[in-house]
Amino acid sequence: PQLLLMLYPLGDGAAPCMCGVIIKKNVLQKYGGFDDSFKGMYEDQVFLSKIYLNENIFISSACNNRYRQRPDSLIGKSFDNGNYYYVRKRFLIWLKKYISQNNFCDNDVQKKLESALSFEPLISVIICFFNEKLFLQEAIVSVINQSYKCWELLLIDDGSADGSSDIALQYARKYSGQIYYHEHNKHINKGLSASRNYGIKNSNGEFIAFLDADDVWLENKLITQVSIFQRNPGIGMVAEASLYWNEWEQGVRRDKEIPVGVDAECIYEPNELILSLYPLGKGAAPVPSGLMIKKEALERSGMFEESFAREYALYEDQAFLSKMYLKEKIYISSACNNLYRQRLGSIVTWVKETGKYHAVREYFLRWLKAYLENNNIKSGHLSMHLDKALYRYNHPIFFYLKHDVPRYFWKAFKKITPGRIQDFVKGKILKLKKKY
């Protein structure tokens, strides 16, 4: 494969223009012609690479074609809109797959390809949306404005009917080759977990980042997290703090930065985080918009649990995170480059207002218990905490008598009792707790 090593895009030499080549028709047919999935820049390099790898080629010194230079060319546009490195990365990923599938063995090609791929890893950003017309454009623009440019964006429509599909399609057309629109068969609604999995299966990147359709990233979100992966190649996921974003709406509470509820700038081994972070621990869990994950780690984990739909979608991220906590090394970052929008009408608000919170929590806890058993994950400490969390659901009457009745009594007692007597009683109770 001499020419693959010598000519652009792997080598330093100028590649031929398509108007300067002549090819045997049976050779064109033999290798499937051009690849329809490459609709612009690099479509010629995909085809030429197949020829370089398989056929003898004669390079002529003649020059009988005029290759018109103009400002609105594909290459010019790719540099102007910042997607040149993404398109190049997509080509390199395709080439690696093609070489593997066709069993080409050449150490020099492999070294050059790996060197080119490691320069700027491709990140697949996944935005799933269902009737998010008010916020979707803001989320998409925050991806386009990232300082790190080697990304693709997959917009997964979960059956929207409010016009947000049109917004997604407009951006997919405007940024063709870097932003992609997907929907489920017959435009049906399948739920957030199924939509996230659909995006993962259609992604090309080495890393996956999720952005909820009503959230926003600051411009350095991707570059900050990909840099952490490059410094710590053994980790499977990076999680950062989140700004709980209230001030997007006038007249509400101030914004508040919530760090992940453990020490930051640390790597945590499998099984370390699950008892420290919500929902089993007291520390704040990361939000999906604050994550970046190796695609291979996602695939190892089994991705998202599609049974967490409807009201159970409140815990779809916690089910996924629990699997990651159990199986992967995770880096907790102190950075905060995502705005987690707080609003009425969110699934958190809806579940709590309809009184379904404990039904959803119980569903999650029983799923986790079954998951540990099915995957032969044995941890006495974890099992003990899980049984403790399930106590209120397994023994509702005893839980009510032990926890709820004393709490109701204490509230009533505080209303009718002076503060000094309250402090005295509280001190006696604490002494009894320590004693027994």
Side-chain angles (χ1 to χ4, degrees), residues 41 74-85:
M41 194 172 68
L74 285 169
I75 293 177
K77 284 182 178 178
S78 75
F79 280 108
D80 290 342
N81 63 28
N83 72 353
Y84 171 81
Y85 289 107

Side-chain angles (χ1 to χ4, degrees), residues 274-319:
I274 194 162
L275 293 177
S276 299
L277 302 180
Y278 178 86
L280 288 184
K282 295 181 179 179
V287 304
S289 297
L291 305 175
M292 183 181 287
I293 311 156
K294 275 184 181 174
K295 186 175 181 179
E296 62 187 45
L298 269 166
E299 292 169 339
R300 278 196 300 268
S301 74
M303 303 195 291
F304 287 80
E305 293 293 316
E306 297 187 12
S307 62
F308 282 78
R310 300 177 301 281
E311 65 267 29
Y312 303 118
L314 175 66
Y315 269 55
E316 60 91 27
D317 52 342
Q318 301 307 328

Side-chain angles (χ1 to χ4, degrees), residues 29-197:
Q29 294 169 331
K30 184 177 179 181
Y31 303 110
F34 290 81
D35 189 322
D36 291 351
S37 68
F38 284 81
K39 301 185 184 301
M41 194 172 68
Y42 272 83
E43 56 87 29
D44 52 345
Q45 301 308 327
V46 169
F47 168 72
L48 287 169
S49 295
K50 293 192 284 186
I51 304 301
Y52 296 158
L53 283 164
N54 292 286
E55 296 291 329
N56 294 324
I57 298 167
F58 185 91
I59 301 297
S60 169
S61 61
C63 180
N64 289 297
N65 68 91
R66 293 177 179 171
Y67 180 43
R68 192 185 303 271
Q69 304 299 289
R70 51 192 182 124
D72 62 342
S73 68
L74 285 169
I75 293 177
K77 284 182 178 178
S78 75
F79 280 108
D80 290 342
N81 63 28
N83 72 353
Y84 171 81
Y85 289 107
Y86 158 72
V87 179
R88 174 176 169 79
K89 178 66 66 172
R90 184 165 177 257
F91 161 76
L92 294 170
I93 291 169
W94 169 88
L95 182 57
K96 185 175 181 179
K97 286 181 181 176
Y98 181 81
I99 287 173
S100 174
Q101 289 167 355
N102 290 276
N103 298 315
F104 287 108
C105 296
D106 187 286
N107 289 334
D108 292 334
V109 170
Q110 292 289 355
K111 286 178 184 176
K112 275 221 168 188
L113 192 50
E114 291 303 326
S115 175
L117 279 164
S118 65
F119 177 65
E120 273 194 324
L122 175 64
I123 301 169
S124 295
V125 180
I126 297 173
I127 298 179
C128 304
F129 64 94
F130 173 68
N131 292 343
E132 290 289 1
K133 183 179 179 180
L134 290 177
F135 306 117
L136 180 60
Q137 181 169 339
E138 197 174 1
I140 294 171
V141 170
S142 77
V143 177
I144 293 169
N145 289 340
Q146 288 296 297
S147 57
Y148 186 86
K149 296 300 182 184
C150 194
W151 51 262
E152 64 175 2
L153 173 57
L154 291 87
L155 300 170
I156 314 299
D157 190 344
D158 194 21
S160 298
D162 70 337
S164 48
S165 304
D166 294 332
I167 294 171
L169 284 164
Q170 286 169 13
Y171 276 95
R173 284 192 290 267
K174 184 176 180 180
Y175 293 86
S176 175
Q178 190 170 21
I179 297 180
Y180 302 92
Y181 172 85
H182 295 275
E183 61 180 350
H184 300 297
N185 189 33
K186 297 182 180 178
H187 199 70
I188 62 172
N189 174 263
K190 295 188 72 173
L192 185 54
S193 288
S195 297
R196 291 199 205 274
N197 287 342

